[in-house]
Amino acid sequence: MQTEEYIRAGKIASEVRERVRDKNWIGKTVYEICEEVEGEIKKRGAKCAFPVNTSINEIAAHYTAEPNDPITIKDTDLVKIDLGVQINGYIADTAVTVCYDAQFDGLVQSAEEALANAMSMIKTGVKASDIGRTIETTIKKTGFKPIANLSGHSLDQYTIHAGRSIPNIWSIGGFSLSENSAYACEPFVTTNDGGGFVRNGQTKNIFALNSRKKTKNEEADRLLDFIWNNFNMLPFALRWIVNDWEEKQAKDLLNFLIKKKAVQAYPVLIEVNEQKVAQAEHTFIPNEDGATVTTRIQ
Ligand code: MN
Ligand code: MN
């Protein structure tokens, strides 16, 4: 556990997230948002732990901009901006939902309130299933539905999903929080017309290394080395390789590496009834009295 690096990453992530929250993104493209937010992370001397996610409306998670992606934020959109900061592989994972239409404020507030209630009960030994119960109860009390098949997760060096899940609903069994671990908690909320589940969509624009085994294709192996050297096992986007490879070639090489199972591609996650989804997220390290919420505003 490198507590100091987790805290430094968290401070940067919280500063960048609050800038994202306060800014009016209407009329901006998702490409502009991703580039600007990633720039804010790098400007503060850290690296991105994953491509900034800009998941709009019924897309709950895992959408990042394509190179020059023209999708533009409208005043009725609900946009989950999920960002990750890493220092030596120690990660801060945090998200905010921005919306400019008052009719969706309740949905956003519900996710924020569920997260706040979850954070206030954290300490060493608390059961993940009890956190899930608090999140579910809070969301239902505000008149909405949690997304049951999305959850928070333990973190480890260069590893975003380190094996433990923090559910957004009550569930049987599960583990207890350890003070030697960092975790992310991320309630996702949809309306009562939503199914309360996500499904995989067709679009896949976030990738991660699976294996460093050579492919016998020289150029593909060069890209494999580039990915390992720059992103380790953490997720990346096509945007992050088109400075070094021409876009068409980069796409072909990526598809080749996916076919060889050297790289995996993550599909976007869409609410099953195509209802709008809001999200809030913090990273924290439990202790005997409570928790260090690394991504809380200082
Ligand atoms: Mn996140
Ligand atoms: Mn997360």
Side-chain angles (χ1 to χ4, degrees):
M1 269 284 291
Q2 300 292 317
T3 307
E4 197 200 314
E5 272 127 322
Y6 274 121
I7 288 172
R8 274 167 55 212
K11 182 168 187 293
I12 292 169
S14 68
E15 284 172 19
V16 175
R17 184 199 59 230
E18 292 312 301
R19 277 184 63 104
V20 166
R21 191 196 305 276
D22 293 341
K23 188 150 174 166
N24 183 349
W25 297 104
I26 298 169
K28 297 270 192 223
T29 66
V30 290
Y31 178 75
E32 290 170 321
I33 298 175
C34 289
E35 291 288 312
E36 181 172 329
V37 177
E38 289 166 6
E40 290 292 334
I41 292 169
K42 292 179 209 157
K43 215 163 77 183
R44 289 167 171 79
K47 287 184 176 174
C48 297
F50 50 81
V52 166
N53 288 205
T54 50
S55 307
I56 302 176
N57 297 332
E58 72 278 8
I59 300 175
H62 292 176
Y63 186 92
T64 194
E66 297 289 350
N68 300 310
D69 198 321
I71 293 173
T72 303
I73 305 304
K74 299 190 299 290
D75 58 6
T76 52
D77 285 336
L78 195 66
V79 191
K80 280 77 61 192
I81 300 179
D82 192 329
L83 58 107
V85 174
Q86 59 113 335
I87 294 175
N88 297 327
Y90 297 98
I91 298 165
D93 183 2
T94 189
V96 60
T97 302
V98 294
C99 96
Y100 308 95
D101 187 333
Q103 66 170 310
F104 307 122
D105 283 351
L107 205 60
V108 175
Q109 281 314 310
S110 178
E112 291 284 348
E113 203 179 317
L115 180 62
N117 288 348
M119 288 303 99
S120 68
M121 69 182 288
I122 302 290
K123 61 179 186 172
T124 309
V126 165
K127 285 165 72 180
S129 57
D130 288 335
I131 302 169
R133 189 202 328 256
T134 294
I135 291 170
E136 179 175 13
T137 306
T138 306
I139 291 170
K140 286 184 171 165
K141 232 184 252 172
T142 55
F144 298 107
K145 231 182 217 186
I147 303 279
N149 62 341
L150 287 175
S151 57
H153 46 95
S154 55
L155 294 155
D156 212 337
Q157 190 182 23
Y158 291 109
T159 310
I160 292 186
H161 290 262
R164 301 288 204 184
S165 289
I166 299 184
N168 289 325
I169 53 165
W170 183 80
S171 58
I172 204 153
F175 72 103
S176 297
L177 298 179
S178 151
E179 62 187 354
N180 295 313
S181 271
Y183 304 89
C185 178
E186 48 186 314
F188 285 85
V189 184
T190 190
T191 69
N192 277 312
D193 293 328
F197 289 89
V198 290
R199 63 169 173 85
N200 291 345
Q202 292 296 313
T203 305
K204 295 177 181 177
N205 52 28
I206 296 176
F207 311 93
L209 198 60
N210 237 350
S211 144
R212 294 192 61 206
K213 222 175 113 199
K214 297 285 180 229
T215 63
K216 293 177 186 154
N217 173 322
E218 201 180 312
E219 202 53 27
D221 288 345
R222 211 164 72 77
L223 178 56
L224 267 187
D225 285 339
F226 178 87
I227 293 167
W228 170 253
N229 290 328
N230 287 280
F231 319 127
N232 198 289
M233 301 301 280
L234 291 169
F236 63 91
L238 185 60
R239 288 183 291 108
W240 291 2
I241 55 181
V242 292
N243 287 334
D244 295 81
W245 277 268
E246 185 270 320
E247 186 175 332
K248 169 79 172 64
Q249 192 194 12
K251 264 188 187 164
D252 291 345
L253 287 171
L254 261 184
N255 285 331
F256 174 79
L257 290 173
I258 291 165
K259 210 179 289 168
K260 292 281 176 192
K261 298 200 171 8
V263 165
Q264 56 180 317
Y266 297 94
V268 296
L269 301 172
I270 305 172
E271 210 289 318
V272 287
N273 290 353
E274 311 219 327
Q275 292 298 304
K276 286 189 160 61
V277 177
Q279 173 204 16
E281 180 175 22
H282 272 313
T283 296
F284 64 91
I285 300 167
N287 59 51
E288 279 189 5
D289 308 312
T292 302
V293 180
T294 64
T295 52
R296 189 172 271 160
I297 315 166
Q298 302 296 306

